Amino acid sequence: MVQNKLTNINDVAYQKLIDNITALWGEAKSKAVNAVNTELLEANWQTGKYIVDFELKGKDRAEYGKHLLMNLSKDLTIRNGKGFNRTNLTYMRKFYLAFPILGTASPKLTWSHYYELLKCDNSLEMKFYFNECIKEGWKVRELKRQMKSCLFQRLALSTDKAGVLALANEGHQVQTPQDIIRDPFVLEFAGLPK
């Protein structure tokens, strides 16, 4: 059975030793995760590039091209295992097309971030969310929340862009009773006009 209690030594130098080794291993794990993320992004980008290059050279392969992603999915899964379903291959292709120069994709974002970003219908919207993810350090869950709440569209329509951004980052702040009454959900619930 593994014992989870730390040795109770009150020596400051010993505690510093523990802190240094713990920090070293934490940093090593973080670097390993970042390296894996970078390699995953590069492999997904390169896969997308291979698919696009194959499609562009394929005038004589038009019939085969209709089923390219389905066939690729089946054959890559047989040879390499999970991760190559048709949807993933579609997003790898989209990733390459959205970021034709790999260096323009940020390693600060994970494949899960890009997977969500590539769902945007317009490139301006995707670029907005891409920049906000990096600037604000959004996790994937926060990115999904902001996209679902249509932050980009609200900003585009708003005259108070700074206010909408603050609301998006901090949430709705209730400071006075009137703030609750002006809440669109309260107005809708009460059947009152905005």
Side-chain angles (χ1 to χ4, degrees):
M1 182 192 255
V2 178
Q3 190 175 4
N4 289 331
K5 289 186 176 184
L6 295 174
T7 307
N8 190 8
I9 296 179
N10 289 329
D11 182 8
V12 173
Y14 180 75
Q15 295 304 320
K16 181 73 173 161
L17 174 65
I18 291 173
D19 292 344
N20 287 342
I21 293 171
T22 301
L24 169 76
W25 280 91
E27 189 176 318
K29 287 177 185 176
S30 179
K31 285 180 182 177
V33 167
N34 288 337
V36 168
N37 183 58
T38 299
E39 291 300 320
L40 177 63
L41 289 177
E42 191 170 324
N44 286 339
W45 182 88
Q46 192 67 48
T47 300
K49 182 180 184 334
Y50 287 154
I51 293 168
V52 170
D53 287 349
F54 184 87
E55 289 170 334
L56 292 176
K57 293 177 190 165
K59 288 186 177 135
D60 57 333
R61 301 176 186 153
E63 188 59 37
Y64 182 76
K66 289 179 186 176
H67 304 289
L68 175 63
L69 294 180
M70 287 187 326
N71 291 332
L72 265 178
S73 173
K74 183 182 75 160
D75 294 335
L76 288 171
T77 300
I78 289 169
R79 191 176 278 186
N80 300 302
K82 293 195 300 188
F84 296 100
N85 63 43
R86 185 170 177 254
T87 303
N88 283 346
L89 292 174
T90 299
Y91 277 93
M92 290 175 197
R93 184 182 176 281
K94 282 180 155 187
F95 183 46
Y96 170 73
L97 291 172
F99 297 90
I101 299 170
L102 181 58
T104 59
S106 174
K108 291 180 180 179
L109 303 182
T110 65
W111 176 244
S112 296
H113 282 98
Y114 287 105
Y115 196 88
E116 294 304 319
L117 288 169
L118 293 167
K119 292 177 182 177
C120 292
D121 290 330
N122 100 35
S123 61
L124 189 60
E125 178 182 7
M126 183 175 66
K127 182 115 175 113
F128 168 79
Y129 287 119
F130 171 82
N131 289 330
E132 288 299 306
C133 279
I134 293 169
K135 185 174 80 175
E136 299 297 329
W138 288 348
K139 302 289 184 207
V140 176
R141 183 179 295 182
E142 181 63 15
L143 170 61
K144 284 179 171 181
R145 187 181 78 75
Q146 296 294 0
M147 289 174 72
K148 189 173 183 179
S149 73
C150 301
L151 174 62
F152 175 76
Q153 289 82 357
R154 287 184 291 136
L155 272 176
L157 296 172
S158 175
T159 55
D160 180 17
K161 294 185 186 334
V164 173
L165 270 176
L167 185 63
N169 291 326
E170 299 164 15
H172 182 66
Q173 302 295 316
V174 177
Q175 296 169 345
T176 67
Q178 288 80 11
D179 290 337
I180 293 173
I181 294 171
R182 277 185 263 174
D183 186 308
F185 294 112
V186 174
L187 293 172
E188 183 181 319
F189 175 74
L192 301 170
K194 289 184 180 180

